């Protein structure tokens, strides 16, 4: 169980270093802080929570049965195929041990959209309010050498530092310098513009909407992303992507607005404007402000090793990772561009916390179980992402029979 029921542990607290104070690092901290078994040190680059994008936690994070865990219409069958019901039941049992103050926040965030910084601030405030188990917090940018130098035998190191993970590519023992990407498996799905705008009326979008509002756009089609359209009572927050070529990508800055787009890529802007004009015609609203646009490569990736298990097996005895276990959680371990990864990061944090509080589980067993769990979650992410990508490609070809047939692979 996660909670100690007010009893003082006879074991000395285990020192845990958590890199990264985004939502996953903060949740990991809150979970371990409440047990009384760990002395937690949280390292954060900054304590200013400025990210305002809207997120919604997946319902499976607060599921109370196997059936309710598998309710997602996109990957329900994948979850049932990958995970044994016993595994899901173990996760549900762990959720029941999460302290009520923290569980109340998770349930609230699973009900609707919330600004990301509101989640971060709530978790941070919860951690600071627990006076009986204070967390040491250090505001600094930790490098891989820094992390290795601070580790003492028996410490635990958890990397929640995000997609540009501090330690991911340090988890493979290599002769000489660590090669870039040594522990990272990456698939380039496409290049895209991620376009966000605010709209002054309620607006929601399904597959019919995505098709009909793009029917006149031959090349550039704006596709509102999965679960990225949100109405807060007065304003709709809309985020979507437009597929672009590698040549387009190279000619664009990393971030720009609608004015720059219309001046430099008028064909992309015309497609976007046609889509928005149909939204206005349908709902009689107006855009609030300007478009916010970033251009990014959309990559699906994972860490080949989510722990320091390979160091324990084959590494030299004087390396700190052979004496202290390391875990990757959240975007440090895996990520997909097509859906919000915060829920997956929270899920992995809860699973790891459950392993860490199990005193009967040997270290080798803990590393093996987390590696297997991370791999199963990767299979889930991979299949979900590939299906979304394939369906998106099909949607862009609807109306062009031969282009559509080229995208189909029928046995």
């Amino acid at each position: 169980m996660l909670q100690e029921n007010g009893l003082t542990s006879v074991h000395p607290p285990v020192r845990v270093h958590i890199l990264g104070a985004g939502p996953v690092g903060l949740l990991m901290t809150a979970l371990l802080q409440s047990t009384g078994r760990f002395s937690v040190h949280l390292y954060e680059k900054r304590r200013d929570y400025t990210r305002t994008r809207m997120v919604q936690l997946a319902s499976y994070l607060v599921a109370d049965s196997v059936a309710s865990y598998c309710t997602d219409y996109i990957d329900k069958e994948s979850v049932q195929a990958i995970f044994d019901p016993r595994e899901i039941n173990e996760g549900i049992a762990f959720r029941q041990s999460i302290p009520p103050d923290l569980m109340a926040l998770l349930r609230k965030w699973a009900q609707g959209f919330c600004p990301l910084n509101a989640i971060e601030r709530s978790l941070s405030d919860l951690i600071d309010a627990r006076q009986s188990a204070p967390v040491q917090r250090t505001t600094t940018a930790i490098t891989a050498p820094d992390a290795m130098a601070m580790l003492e035998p028996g410490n635990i190191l958890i990397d929640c530092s995000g997609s540009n993970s501090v330690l991911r590519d340090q988890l493979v023992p290599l002769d000489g310098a660590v090669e870039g990407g040594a522990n990272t498996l990456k698939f380039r799905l496409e290049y895209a513009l991620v376009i966000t705008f605010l709209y002054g009326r309620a607006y929601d979008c399904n597959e019919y909407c995505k098709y009909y509002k793009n029917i006149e756009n031959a090349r550039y089609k704006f596709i509102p992303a999965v679960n990225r359209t949100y109405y807060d009572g007065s304003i709709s927050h809309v985020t979507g992507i437009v597929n672009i070529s590698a040549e387009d990508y190279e000619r664009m800055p990393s971030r720009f607005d609608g004015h720059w787009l219309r001046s430099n890529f008028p064909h992309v802007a015309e497609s976007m404007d046609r889509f928005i004009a149909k939204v206005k015609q349908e709902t009689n609203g107006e855009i609030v402000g300007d478009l916010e646009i970033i251009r990014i490569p959309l990559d699906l990736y994972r860490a080949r090793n989510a722990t320091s298990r390979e160091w324990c097996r084959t590494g030299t005895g004087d390396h700190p990772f052979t004496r202290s276990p390391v875990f990757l959680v959240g975007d440090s371990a895996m990520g997909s561009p097509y859906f919000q990864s915060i829920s997956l990061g929270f899920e992995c944090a809860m699973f790891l916390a459950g392993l860490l509080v199990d005193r009967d589980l040997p270290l080798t067993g803990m590393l093996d179980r987390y590696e297997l769990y991370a791999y199963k979650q990767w299979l889930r992410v991979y299949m979900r992402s590939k299906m979304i990508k394939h369906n998106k490609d099909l949607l862009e070809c609807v109306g062009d029979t031969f282009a559509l047939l080229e995208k189909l692979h029928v046995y």
Side-chain angles (χ1 to χ4, degrees):
M1 298 293 286
L2 183 62
Q3 293 173 283
E4 290 292 311
N5 298 321
L7 298 178
T8 302
S9 173
V10 296
H11 298 272
V14 176
R15 187 65 160 167
V16 179
H17 303 274
I18 297 178
L19 308 186
V24 175
L26 290 165
L27 178 69
M28 192 80 244
T29 299
L31 289 169
L32 297 183
Q33 177 193 28
S34 63
T35 68
R37 298 181 180 181
F38 303 98
S39 171
V40 182
H41 192 155
L42 177 63
Y43 302 84
E44 47 205 334
K45 287 193 297 186
R46 61 188 68 86
R47 290 193 67 177
D48 296 324
Y49 302 117
T50 59
R51 296 181 292 178
T52 58
R53 66 182 176 89
M54 308 301 290
V55 298
Q56 181 180 23
L57 296 191
S59 60
Y60 62 72
L61 288 173
V62 294
D64 58 5
S65 68
V66 173
S68 60
Y69 187 90
C70 301
T71 56
D72 192 291
Y73 75 98
I74 293 179
D75 66 357
K76 173 182 178 180
E77 292 182 353
S78 296
V79 171
Q80 292 173 327
I82 294 170
F83 294 96
D84 186 272
R86 177 185 55 81
E87 294 177 291
I88 298 176
N89 275 320
E90 286 181 356
I92 291 171
F94 178 80
R95 286 157 172 68
Q96 294 170 350
S97 71
I98 293 176
D101 54 356
L102 180 54
M103 198 64 199
L105 292 176
L106 295 174
R107 293 189 185 281
K108 174 184 175 183
W109 297 329
Q111 291 177 354
F113 283 87
C114 181
L116 181 60
N117 59 359
I119 293 177
E120 292 173 323
R121 287 169 183 158
S122 295
L123 289 171
S124 182
D125 290 344
L126 177 67
I127 291 166
D128 290 342
R130 291 170 168 173
Q131 299 294 327
S132 61
V135 168
Q136 184 177 352
R137 303 177 68 152
T138 299
T139 304
T140 187
I142 295 289
T143 65
D146 293 335
M148 295 178 194
M150 69 190 182
L151 272 184
E152 297 181 0
N155 287 180
I156 297 170
L157 179 57
I158 303 175
D159 182 354
C160 304
S161 58
S163 57
N164 297 317
S165 168
V166 173
L167 297 176
R168 185 192 306 129
D169 289 328
Q170 307 291 329
L171 294 183
V172 179
L174 295 172
D175 294 330
V178 174
E179 299 175 2
N183 189 40
T184 303
L185 175 65
K186 183 181 296 184
F187 299 91
R188 175 67 44 80
L189 297 178
E190 61 183 306
Y191 292 97
L193 300 181
V194 178
I195 302 176
T196 300
F197 63 87
L198 302 179
Y199 185 66
R201 289 291 181 91
Y203 167 67
D204 200 1
C205 191
N206 58 21
E207 279 65 32
Y208 296 97
C209 172
K210 294 172 187 179
Y211 169 65
Y212 283 109
K213 288 182 175 57
N214 279 299
I215 201 167
E216 298 173 10
N217 295 332
R219 168 64 183 89
Y220 300 101
K221 300 180 188 292
F222 177 72
I223 310 294
V226 178
N227 291 334
R228 295 291 180 92
T229 301
Y230 162 71
Y231 182 61
D232 65 6
S234 60
I235 297 291
S236 289
H237 302 249
V238 184
T239 299
I241 60 177
V242 175
N243 181 283
I244 60 174
S245 67
E247 292 74 21
D248 289 341
Y249 175 85
E250 292 298 332
R251 293 168 54 202
M252 294 177 176
S254 61
R255 187 179 298 270
F256 49 96
D257 58 17
H259 176 74
W260 189 95
L261 183 68
R262 293 181 181 92
S263 299
N264 294 274
F265 284 82
H267 296 304
V268 183
E270 288 166 6
S271 295
M272 189 74 223
D273 289 339
R274 273 193 291 267
F275 187 100
I276 293 174
K278 291 183 178 182
V279 174
K280 292 180 178 179
Q281 183 180 14
E282 186 179 90
T283 57
N284 299 312
E286 293 292 334
I287 294 290
V288 179
D290 199 357
L291 305 178
E292 295 183 4
I293 309 169
I294 61 173
R295 65 99 169 100
I296 58 174
L298 297 185
D299 293 330
L300 172 65
Y301 69 91
R302 79 173 179 99
R304 297 178 187 273
N305 298 277
T307 72
S308 54
R309 182 173 64 177
E310 287 304 305
W311 276 105
C312 294
R313 289 177 173 175
T314 62
T316 58
D318 60 347
H319 194 281
F321 290 173
T322 64
R323 307 188 303 268
S324 300
V326 181
F327 301 89
L328 305 179
V329 183
D331 286 349
S332 292
M334 68 191 80
S336 169
Y338 291 139
F339 47 88
Q340 296 168 342
S341 58
I342 182 174
S343 296
L344 178 67
F346 277 18
E347 178 82 338
C348 291
M350 288 191 283
F351 182 83
L352 178 57
L355 295 180
L356 292 175
V357 298
D358 185 355
R359 289 201 180 97
D360 296 328
L361 185 63
L363 176 59
T364 54
M366 185 184 304
L367 295 173
D368 288 343
R369 287 198 61 187
Y370 188 75
E371 287 284 3
L372 178 60
Y373 180 82
Y375 182 68
K376 287 187 173 185
Q377 289 290 4
W378 160 251
L379 292 178
R380 177 185 186 181
V381 169
Y382 178 82
M383 289 189 286
R384 181 184 177 104
S385 301
K386 294 292 284 187
M387 185 181 72
I388 292 173
K389 167 64 174 169
H390 183 61
N391 289 347
K392 176 175 167 291
D393 289 345
L394 296 181
L395 178 68
E396 293 181 347
C397 294
V398 172
D400 185 340
T401 300
F402 291 105
L404 182 62
L405 289 172
E406 288 180 359
K407 299 291 184 182
L408 295 177
H409 304 284
V410 182
Y411 177 70

